[in-house]
Amino acid sequence: MNDNSFTLGTGAGGPATVSIDNQHCTGEIHLHGATVTAWQPKGEQPVLWLSGSSAFDGDSPIRGGVPICLPWFGPGRDGDRQPAHGWARLSEWEFVGADDVEAGTCATFVLQRDGLELRYQVTMGERLEIALDVTNIGQEAVEIEEALHTYLAVGDISRVSLSGLEGVDYVDKTAGGTVVTQDGDITFDGETDRVYLTSANVTVSDPAGGRKLLVQSQGARNTVVWNPGPAKAAAMPDFGDDEWTQMVCVEAANALDNFYRLQPGGTHSIAQKVSVV
Ligand code: TA6
């Protein structure tokens, strides 16, 4: 394993990206939002999906990869929070450094904002491992929602199925928040936007892409599954009209009633692992 497995890319305002190229994989993380934008095991197709229309304007969230949603999810539990999904994915994070570890290359990013200290470790090797520690460095307890909003690349969403969440209840955001019990594998026929009320290991079967992906989470009490479908994709300027067939989001989250309260000095950790199986 070489000891120069990462390089810093600069943008107009200084360091902008960390690119990783080691014996196992290549990948990239933008300091904007500490957004993982690429991870590709050697000999494999890219595992993360990234829109060809993402703005990369330094202000907007990056469309694809793994945006970090925090300290709220969507519009928040009361539906009145802006910006959508909170400020973590919009903030400029500090790159602390990268180390070669057994599992590959581990890059660390930190951000302090609004009484919270976030420490994010991205390990790229034969697996992608992302781990976020949230510490309350303020004087008051805080309520946190969060998600590692992972966009996975698939060959054809109409042929994709997800297993692992059979029998789990979910909030169906396409049906006004109705709670439904998952019957069998998850398949996709148009817009799908579900917050499963427990987390589980999910296997993504992608016959058109000729592979299966395993998504494992820790410290998450929800799994979010999302595909915008054609109408929502066409309505998003940073999402190509036809790109919705090439992606599915499987997110590790603590959202809605699964928010958590963090006392001063307390730390909560959430993590997700993605591998080609
Ligand atoms: O995680 C699914 C979701 O909450 C959807 O409701 C949709 O809004 C998606 O996130 C993307 O949100 P964004 O703010 O990035 O457009």
Side-chain angles (χ1 to χ4, degrees), residues 85-109:
H85 287 321
W87 42 254
R89 66 176 182 170
L90 303 176
S91 301
E92 295 312 305
W93 291 57
E94 178 192 344
F95 171 57
V96 175
D99 301 304
D100 290 307
V101 297
E102 187 56 39
T105 306
C106 178
T108 301
F109 304 84

Side-chain angles (χ1 to χ4, degrees), residues 92-257:
E92 295 312 305
W93 291 57
E94 178 192 344
F95 171 57
V96 175
D99 301 304
D100 290 307
V101 297
E102 187 56 39
T105 306
C106 178
T108 301
F109 304 84
V110 295
L111 173 70
Q112 282 194 16
R113 184 163 170 174
D114 291 5
L116 295 176
E117 179 177 81
L118 310 182
R119 183 176 180 82
Y120 189 46
Q121 292 199 301
V122 179
T123 304
M124 292 190 173
E126 291 177 338
R127 279 190 313 197
L128 171 66
E129 301 179 18
I130 51 181
L132 175 68
D133 295 334
V134 183
T135 299
N136 181 353
I137 56 174
Q139 305 303 314
E140 306 292 329
V142 291
E143 294 183 349
I144 305 282
E145 289 181 291
E146 63 191 352
L148 301 176
H149 196 295
T150 304
Y151 287 79
L152 300 171
V154 296
D156 178 352
I157 191 65
S158 69
R159 297 177 56 197
V160 163
S161 61
L162 273 57
S163 60
L165 288 163
E166 305 81 64
V168 176
D169 286 351
Y170 63 88
V171 172
D172 186 344
K173 291 169 63 176
T174 66
T178 307
V179 176
V180 182
T181 300
Q182 181 59 43
D183 178 17
D185 287 355
I186 302 166
T187 54
F188 299 83
D189 180 18
E191 183 187 359
T192 305
D193 194 350
R194 303 176 181 177
V195 181
Y196 284 83
L197 300 183
T198 59
S199 66
N201 293 344
V202 172
T203 298
V204 179
S205 298
D206 174 20
R211 68 184 178 191
K212 291 188 177 185
L213 303 175
L214 175 63
V215 184
Q216 302 165 286
S217 64
Q218 289 172 298
R221 288 181 292 177
N222 297 105
T223 301
V224 179
V225 175
W226 180 57
N227 179 281
K232 279 282 174 66
M236 292 184 278
D238 62 348
F239 205 121
D241 291 1
D242 301 328
E243 289 184 321
W244 61 278
T245 62
Q246 307 293 306
M247 54 70 66
V248 64
C249 284
V250 180
E251 308 163 33
N254 289 297
L256 307 180
D257 291 344

